Amino acid sequence: MRRALGLAGATRYAGYVAWRALARFDLAGDAAVEVWGRGRRFGYARLPGGLAYWYATRNSPPDAETSASRKADVAAEFARWHAPVPALIEATDATSILRHDIVDRPPSKRWGRGRVTLLGDAAHAMTPNLGQGACQAIEDAVVLARELAATSDVASALRAYEKARIPRTSAIVRESWRIGRAGQLEGRVACALRDLAVQKIPAAAHRRSVERVQGWTP
Ligand SMILES: Cc1cc2nc3c(=O)[nH]c(=O)nc-3n(C[C@H](O)[C@H](O)[C@H](O)COP(=O)(O)OP(=O)(O)OC[C@H]3O[C@@H](n4cnc5c(N)ncnc54)[C@H](O)[C@@H]3O)c2cc1C
């Protein structure tokens, strides 16, 4: 569809791979945590029913899975990390671990033509660093429904939908890419400077940036 609409189709590789899985694991006090290392990150969140969700990243060339054991790969990567990281990986069913090369698409200025438009990843594929890909697809759907309900002129409803959604989703694509770049820094000095800079971000500024992404109302 992107080709038919004359839009760039190629994705852009972000330079890292992500694993993720659910495990039966009691995370006790930790609601949600993401830890940045050098060229690697590990995050986890407590879910209802004694489950935990975890994800991990590592800088890597694309299509670089070589081992037959995905679990052994990720366990070796994070073997020397703090508790509960190694135990969380150990508690995971090996067959349930997903692995994806992380890609996005630089934002497009338009998404459609006539009675055709795009929604979700087809319109604004983004890296997962803000946890917003599916969330933005849902927001798209809400706005698309609203615009289609407001007029019987489908083409103008689609253009109004795009006008409402392109600026917000483009900003999130860019911000998510930037966070990924910072999170995946690997050099010792670069990481030390990054960690210092992150510590200096005032709590109020951090709250405002979270609110900008998550505080959307239709
Ligand atoms: C590692 C990782 C972590 C993520 N974490 C989060 C997160 O925490 N929060 C969040 O909100 N998002 C997250 N996402 C992003 C989220 O998964 C996507 O943004 C979301 O799935 C996009 O939904 P979609 O419906 O637009 O596209 P998709 O989920 O890709 O669905 C498109 C569907 O169309 C089907 N399809 C394709 N071509 C055809 C065809 N010709 N005919 C019929 N069917 C077709 C495909 O098979 C697919 O089922 C993450 C993604 C990754 C990779």
Side-chain angles (χ1 to χ4, degrees):
M1 285 310 300
R2 291 185 67 93
R3 256 197 313 278
L5 290 165
L7 301 174
T11 51
R12 152 174 84 162
Y13 182 51
Y16 47 96
V17 59
W19 296 272
R20 56 197 157 132
L22 293 177
R24 190 149 290 287
F25 192 90
D26 182 10
L27 275 174
D30 292 325
V33 170
E34 180 172 308
V35 180
W36 290 10
R38 295 178 52 205
R40 289 165 181 73
R41 284 177 282 163
F42 198 98
Y44 48 88
R46 194 175 58 226
L47 299 181
L51 289 174
Y53 167 66
W54 64 261
Y55 57 92
T57 65
R58 178 188 69 194
N59 289 344
S60 158
D63 295 323
E65 184 164 47
T66 49
S67 161
S69 172
R70 193 171 281 175
K71 181 172 172 178
D73 269 359
V74 69
E77 270 318 311
F78 293 91
R80 296 176 59 210
W81 278 46
H82 58 82
V85 172
L88 195 43
I89 298 168
E90 181 51 38
T92 306
D93 172 3
T95 60
S96 73
I97 300 174
L98 301 177
R99 180 193 186 282
H100 289 97
D101 288 347
I102 297 302
V103 301
D104 79 350
R105 272 196 201 92
S108 309
K109 291 200 172 62
R110 60 182 190 88
W111 290 351
R113 199 168 52 217
R115 293 165 61 92
V116 178
T117 193
L118 302 174
L119 179 149
D121 276 12
H124 46 64
M126 59 186 71
T127 58
N129 299 295
L130 286 166
Q132 281 294 307
C135 298
Q136 291 306 306
I138 293 166
E139 289 187 14
D140 290 346
V142 171
V143 175
L144 182 59
R146 183 184 71 200
E147 297 301 339
L148 285 169
T151 172
S152 55
D153 178 349
V154 172
S156 75
L158 299 190
R159 298 300 84 74
Y161 150 76
E162 292 161 1
K163 190 167 172 221
R165 295 300 300 158
I166 288 176
R168 173 165 167 78
T169 54
S170 299
I172 293 174
V173 169
R174 291 194 192 96
E175 179 67 7
S176 198
W177 182 267
R178 270 197 298 272
I179 292 173
R181 293 287 294 257
Q184 293 301 131
L185 283 173
E186 193 154 7
R188 197 175 289 280
V189 175
C191 288
L193 292 173
R194 171 198 71 189
D195 295 349
L196 203 63
V198 169
Q199 284 166 37
K200 299 263 181 237
I201 297 173
H206 179 66
R207 263 198 309 279
R208 275 197 303 277
S209 73
V210 171
E211 181 59 23
R212 257 201 312 279
V213 174
Q214 295 181 3
W216 183 84
T217 49

